[in-house]
């Protein structure tokens, strides 16, 4: 098998294109060789893929080889079938002849012998060497070529073409290429079928003991390689995908122990994009070692994808392959060299990045694909960067790796390597040093426990994996310092800073404490020994000089670290994951900060801070902001430094100690009172927030000054002095209009938490104002704040929310409200009856002496000027009136007690003068009105809408010394009928009696008493018992309270609508319900007893009449006549042919009176029918049941098709008395 695989790989490396054999019968190849090779590669190739669908290729490389060439002669017959893909795909037979006898005796038998092989695809090229001037030779050549065509061509396939050496026809090469393509296509189809059959046979044996994956692989890859050399790359890729699936299933089969591989020298370098070891060297029984073979398959797939110009898919597949293969390496990590997995991932990621980047062209693909491609590159860079940092940490660079949030998140979740035995310290490592460092001190004296870069303590993990040792004495592990930073790991919260210490310095590697590594195996390894042992083991694992160079020194490590981080950040910025790029900018900024490149560090830190701030990640922001502030201070960026101090103060108080927050404030105050070269306004919205006090807004009139109380929250840790303070108010409906309230004091001291200050308010324009912007000065520094609050509790010192309030803080009226006119009641009044409408006149701290009220009723409402207007003091009877009275200031009388004083006023020309005693008290005017509505209401299934009974009354009150003040208001008054009527038939008796239930719903806020009710029925209905239409007298009086229901029951039956003379009388369509009622109500609450026009209240003994129309429909239950259409002749109708149309009228029941004449009328569409007879007439029909009469009309159809026939109607007979029958028979 190894020899066969070696031969297979040798053939693949030498066969990279199609082979076309040339059978030179007449020694013509030296003459035509150059012309043939000029046609390569073929430009118009069309081949069939595996599914027999045509695929058009832009170019198809090939090579012409003589059949006598050693490359074709040296193949063994037993290899022809297995490696059939390398055989010629077409055979070109070159001949020439100018003698017919020579063709018959010599050339023809030889050609027959050549073309007798059925598996060979061939065609003949007849070469004419005769000069154009030699007519005889040309004629003989034509005759011989004609014989060749007759002998070797057929109707199904042309196998011959003619080439003239001295003058080539224009279409020869097109014909030549088409014949070659036909041969290649046929050969390819035949070989595809062969490989498919063989593969199917092997697939059926997969579960049998004789199954051999190597044999299956050779056949499968032979087919894939054949597709590749014919440029059918999609089919070739599909074959490799199927081969990968099959191999995965083979590897996962239980029962066989297989060597994984990866333990040889150089295996740490991934072979994802170039062939690795020879296949013969990785054969294992009937399969291949997984480590090398899976990389071989991916390299084959990547090569095809690059040929298809799909680098994005290479990156996508490559990242998925690296992740999945990394998990496989983790399963076999104990058998692999130390950190083999990490080194392999680094080399694989770098190889994928370099290869895909070089093949990728921007702008060719869709923007979505381009962004996703850069996202994949960013992921590869990040993966490589993380593994690279892990290796650096293992060899002792952990203290030099930036402990930023991104690095901590990546490395703290990455497990340690898991070798079977942790590497031991080499014997020649006595000069190694221990790496020590104190806690890092940031700007402002901030001390933080460094973020963890390890999942758990490396010291414990390394000693646990020593084959002959347990964890040992932890005190000894940490060299007598059990509180070392290494044992704390990531268990220390970053929110709890360590106790204050003196400034600690980081001791470099060359000045650390020497360690003596001469120790017994009974002693656990120390941290320095672990680093040295890991470095020595990595030196044996890493075979790439470039990677080892990056780890050989701190400078090289930082350069490679920056290269990988910048690559990841740049690609993330060009992808969807821009936030990942910004986070990695923070890693670049940290390195630049340490190296002294503060300008670049500040720019990167600003991006990171903007991201963390926008996402609300305050813990991460607290790690980065101090470094940004330090860079800004070094760069003398006063504006940025001040803003960073404000942002540090705005963070959660638990993130910094009180003294650290005081240091932030001290820096801000120092700069504010110092000499700033370029003073800039500072936004302190996150530190100083403000809101109005709870309660109603301050109310002022136009031109009135005032004082505005505002609550300020200070986020500073100490008191701070504001040299000036002003607040801008914004008009709610016009943002351009603003008012400014200035503090009365020269300086304002803000204490931490809540502060209440009073601002003077100059006269403002009328409008409604909300809080705008707070501005002021701290020293020479101008600041502004635009943060608002919804209104915090009075005892809350928390910062406010930053939402702009919608509640106004100030209202300036234009002009100030001096009076108010409101209706005395909102309940409905009686429509079509005289009623009192109450209007409450309420002065608001202003006398109404001599005021005049103008009243203009709206449509459907009239005032009764013959009736006096009554006025009385307004009496409060509920809590609503009590709350309203508190708003009225300056009233001289106590309005909480009832007073009976009443006056009568005269209404003339719609105006009434108020008395002087009502100038400063709340009074109510009772105006006599009458709402005009429909004469009669109608019973419906829905309640009356409030809009239907709405009437309006326009009021205008003129008051003041010279009546220069006016107040206009339009009041809406609701009128309604006393009852809402609904009906339904609740029962139908056997004798035809109907029980009609009438439901009455009170629509007024009063008590109604019904004393009489009767129902005037429409024609067609009659009362059964009491002919006067009244229900039982015992029902009355019937009392209905407000919003209550009552019901009346009437017994009715049907009545004939035909008179004694036989004529049908004209029917009334409505029944009328009459109700005599009385109302008992108070005008202060709603409907009440109507007043009389003589000025006295009418006697309650007189009944009011309410009428409601009820529509009763008589069902067609007992028709008198039947009308039917007789059938037309069976032979059909013709246009222009005279026909007779017949209708039959039949009496369905006996008629009590004598026979009558019935009027009939024929109706027909004049466009479809012409009536030849009478259209209208009378017929005499007997009064007995069953009597019949046929009406015949002569008609002529005018159009062909489906038309509606003429219609017979009985105008004098109601439709409910007629039954329309379907088409009748002639009987």
């Amino acid at each position: 098998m190894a020899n066969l695989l070696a031969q297979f790989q040798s053939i693949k490396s030498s066969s990279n294109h199609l082979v076309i054999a040339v059978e030179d019968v007449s020694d013509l190849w030296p003459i035509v060789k150059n012309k043939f090779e000029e046609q390569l590669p073929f430009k118009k190739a069309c081949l069939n893929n595996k599914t027999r669908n045509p695929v058009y290729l832009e170019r198809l490389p090939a090579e012409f080889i003589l059949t006598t060439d050693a490359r074709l002669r040296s193949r063994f017959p037993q290899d022809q079938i297995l490696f059939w893909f390398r055989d010629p795909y077409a055979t070109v037979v070159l001949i020439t002849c100018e003698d017919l006898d020579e063709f018959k005796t010599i050339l023809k038998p030889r050609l027959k012998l050549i073309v007798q092989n059925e598996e060979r695809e061939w065609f003949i090229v007849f070469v004419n060497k005769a000069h154009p001037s030699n007519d005889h030779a040309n004629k003989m050549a034509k005759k011989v070529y004609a014989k060749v065509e007759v002998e070797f061509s057929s109707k199904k396939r042309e196998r011959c073409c003619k080439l003239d050496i001295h003058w080539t026809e224009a279409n020869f090469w097109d014909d030549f290429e088409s014949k070659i393509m036909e041969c290649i296509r046929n050969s390819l189809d035949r070989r595809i079928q062969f490989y498919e059959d063989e593969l199917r046979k092997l697939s059926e044996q997969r579960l049998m003991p004789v199954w051999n994956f190597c044999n299956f692989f050779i056949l499968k890859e032979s087919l894939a390689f054949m597709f590749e050399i014919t440029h059918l790359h999609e089919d070739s890729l599909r074959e490799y995908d199927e081969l990968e699936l099959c191999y995965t299933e083979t590897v996962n089969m239980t029962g066989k122990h297989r060597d994984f591989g990866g333990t040889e020298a150089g295996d740490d370098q991934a072979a994802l994009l170039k062939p690795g070891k020879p296949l013969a060297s990785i054969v294992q029984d009937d399969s291949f070692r997984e480590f090398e073979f899976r990389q071989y398959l991916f390299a084959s797939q990547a090569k095809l994808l690059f040929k298809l110009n799909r680098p994005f898919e290479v990156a996508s597949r490559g990242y998925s392959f690296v992740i999945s293969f990394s998990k496989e390496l983790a399963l076999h990590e104990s058998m692999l060299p130390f950190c083999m997995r990490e080194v392999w991932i680094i080399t694989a990621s770098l190889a994928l990045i370099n290869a895909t980047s070089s093949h990728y062209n921007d702008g060719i693909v869709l923007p979505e694909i381009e962004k996703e491609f850069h996202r994949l590159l960013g992921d590869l860079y990040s993966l490589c960067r993380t593994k690279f940092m892990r290796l650096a940490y293992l060899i002792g660079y952990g203290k030099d790796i930036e402990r930023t949030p991104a690095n901590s998140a990546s490395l703290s979740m990455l497990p340690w390597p898991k070798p079977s035995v942790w590497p031991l310290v080499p014997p020649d490592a006595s000069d190694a040093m221990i790496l020590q460092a104190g806690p890092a001190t940031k700007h402002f004296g901030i001390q933080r426990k460094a973020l963890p870069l390890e999942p758990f303590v490396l010291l414990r993990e390394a000693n646990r994996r020593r084959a002959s040792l347990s964890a040992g004495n932890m005190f000894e592990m940490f060299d007598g310092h059990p509180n070392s930073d290494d044992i704390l790991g990531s268990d220390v919260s970053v929110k709890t800073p360590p106790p204050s210490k003196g400034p600690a310095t980081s001791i470099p590697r060359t000045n650390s404490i020497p360690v003596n590594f001469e120790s017994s195996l009974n002693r656990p390894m120390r941290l320095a020994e672990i680093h040295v042992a890991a470095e020595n083991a990595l030196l044996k694992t890493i075979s790439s000089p470039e990677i080892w160079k990056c780890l050989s020194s701190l400078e090289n490590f930082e350069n490679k670290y920056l290269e990988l981080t910048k690559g990841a950040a740049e690609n993330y910025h060009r992808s969807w994951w821009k936030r990942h790029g910004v986070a990695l900018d923070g890693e670049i900024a940290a390195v630049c900060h340490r190296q002294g490149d503060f300008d670049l560090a500040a720019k990167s830190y600003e991006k990171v801070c903007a991201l963390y701030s926008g996402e609300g990640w305050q813990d991460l922001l607290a790690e980065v902001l101090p470094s940004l502030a330090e860079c800004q201070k070094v760069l003398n960026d006063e504006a940025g430094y001040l803003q960073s101090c404000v942002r540090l103060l705005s963070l959660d108080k638990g993130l910094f100690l009180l003294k650290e927050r005081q240091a932030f404030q001290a820096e801000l105050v120092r700069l504010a009172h110092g000499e700033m070269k370029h003073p800039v306004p500072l936004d302190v919205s996150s530190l100083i927030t403000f809101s109005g006090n709870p309660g109603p807004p301050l109310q002022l009139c136009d031109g009135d000054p005032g004082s505005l109380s505002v609550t300020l929250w200070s986020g500073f840790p100490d008191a701070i002095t504001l040299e000036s303070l002003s607040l801008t108010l914004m008009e709610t409906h016009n943002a351009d209009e603003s008012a400014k309230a200035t503090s009365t004091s020269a300086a304002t001291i803000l204490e931490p938490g809540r502060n209440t200050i009073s601002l003077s308010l100059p006269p403002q324009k009328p409008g409604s104002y909300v809080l705008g912007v707070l501005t002021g000065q701290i020293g020479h520094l101008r600041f502004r704040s635009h943060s608002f609050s919804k209104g915090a509790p009075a005892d809350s010192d928390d910062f406010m929310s930053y939402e702009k309030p919608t509640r106004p803080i100030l209202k300036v009226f234009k002009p100030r409200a001096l009076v108010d006119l409101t209706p005395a009641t909102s309940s409905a009044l009686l429509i079509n009856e005289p009623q009192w409408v109450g209007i409450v006149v309420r002065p608001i701290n202003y006398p109404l002496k001599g005021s005049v009220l103008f009243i203009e009723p709206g449509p459907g409402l009239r005032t009764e000027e013959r009736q006096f207007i009554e006025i009385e003091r307004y009496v409060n009877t509920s809590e609503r009136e009590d709350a309203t009275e508190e708003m009225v200031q300056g009233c001289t009388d106590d309005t909480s007690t009832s007073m009976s004083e009443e006056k009568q006023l005269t209404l003339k020309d719609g105006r009434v003068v108020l008395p002087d005693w009502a100038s400063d008290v709340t009074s109510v005017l009772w105006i006599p009105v009458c709402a005009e509505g429909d004469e009669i209401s109608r019973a419906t299934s829905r309640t009356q809408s409030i809009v239907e009974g709405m009437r309006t009354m326009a009021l205008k009150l003129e008051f003041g010394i010279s009546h220069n003040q006016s107040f206009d208001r339009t009041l809406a008054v609701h009128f309604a009928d006393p009852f809402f009527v609904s009906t339904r038939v609740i029962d139908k008796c056997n004798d035809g009696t109907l029980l009609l239930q009438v439901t009455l719903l009170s629509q007024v806020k009063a008590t109604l008493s019904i004393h009489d009710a009767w129902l005037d029925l429409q024609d067609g209905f009659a009362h059964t018992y009491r002919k006067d239409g009244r229900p039982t007298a015992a029902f009355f009086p019937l009392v209905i309270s407000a919003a209550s229901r009552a019901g009346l029951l009437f017994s009715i039956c049907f009545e004939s609508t035909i008179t004694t003379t036989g004529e049908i009388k004209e029917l009334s369509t409505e029944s009328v319900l009459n109700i005599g009622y009385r109302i008992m109500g108070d005008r202060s609450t709603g409907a009440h007893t109507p007043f009389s026009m003589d000025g006295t209240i009418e006697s309650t003994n007189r009944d009011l009449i309410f009428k409601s129309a009820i529509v009763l429909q008589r069902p067609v239950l007992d028709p008198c006549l039947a009308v039917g259409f007789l059938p037309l002749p069976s032979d059909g109708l013709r246009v222009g042919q005279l026909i007779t149309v017949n209708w039959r009228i039949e009496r369905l029941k006996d008629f009590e009176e004598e026979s009558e004449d019935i009027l009939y009328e024929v109706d027909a569409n004049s466009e479809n029918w012409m009536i030849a007879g009478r259209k209208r007439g009378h017929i005499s029909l007997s009064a007995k049941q069953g009597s019949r009469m046929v009406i015949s009309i002569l008609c002529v159809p005018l159009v062909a098709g489906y038309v509606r026939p003429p219609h017979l109607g009985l105008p004098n007979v109601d439709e409910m008395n007629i039954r329309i029958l379907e088409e009748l028979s002639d009987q």
Side-chain angles (χ1 to χ4, degrees), residues 1026-1178:
R1026 301 191 57 159
K1027 299 302 181 181
D1028 58 354
R1030 286 178 167 82
T1032 305
F1035 289 168
F1036 305 113
L1038 178 60
V1039 179
I1040 306 176
S1041 59
S1044 298
R1045 297 177 184 267
L1048 300 176
L1049 195 62
F1050 296 93
S1051 177
I1052 62 175
C1053 63
F1054 297 114
E1055 183 184 34
S1056 177
T1057 59
I1058 302 178
T1059 62
T1060 58
T1061 61
E1063 295 182 356
I1064 300 175
K1065 61 182 179 181
E1066 184 178 356
L1067 304 178
S1068 60
T1069 60
E1070 292 183 349
S1071 302
V1072 179
L1073 175 66
N1074 303 274
I1075 298 177
Y1077 71 97
R1078 298 171 189 174
I1079 183 169
M1080 291 169 286
D1082 187 0
R1083 65 184 182 181
S1084 63
T1085 58
H1088 52 275
T1089 305
F1091 60 84
S1092 62
M1093 304 308 297
D1094 56 359
T1096 61
I1097 300 297
E1098 292 184 349
S1099 174
T1100 57
N1101 294 328
R1102 188 183 71 83
D1103 291 346
L1104 303 176
I1105 303 300
F1106 168 73
K1107 294 185 177 183
S1108 177
I1110 300 174
V1111 179
L1112 301 176
Q1113 293 184 355
R1114 177 179 177 180
V1116 184
L1117 301 176
D1118 196 10
C1120 301
L1121 300 174
V1123 178
F1125 182 78
L1126 295 178
L1128 295 172
S1130 59
D1131 55 352
L1133 304 179
R1134 296 181 180 276
V1135 176
Q1137 179 183 356
L1138 190 65
I1139 63 170
T1140 302
V1141 180
N1142 300 315
W1143 292 271
R1144 187 171 70 198
I1145 301 177
E1146 181 177 353
R1147 190 175 295 278
L1148 299 178
K1149 65 180 181 178
D1150 293 336
F1151 194 59
E1152 297 177 358
E1153 289 78 7
E1154 297 180 358
S1155 61
E1156 59 175 343
D1157 289 340
I1158 299 177
L1159 176 66
Y1160 71 88
E1161 184 177 9
V1162 178
D1163 183 21
N1165 190 344
S1166 59
E1167 296 181 357
N1168 299 335
W1169 298 92
M1170 183 179 69
I1171 306 299
R1174 295 178 60 186
K1175 294 184 178 180
R1176 187 182 180 94
H1178 290 80

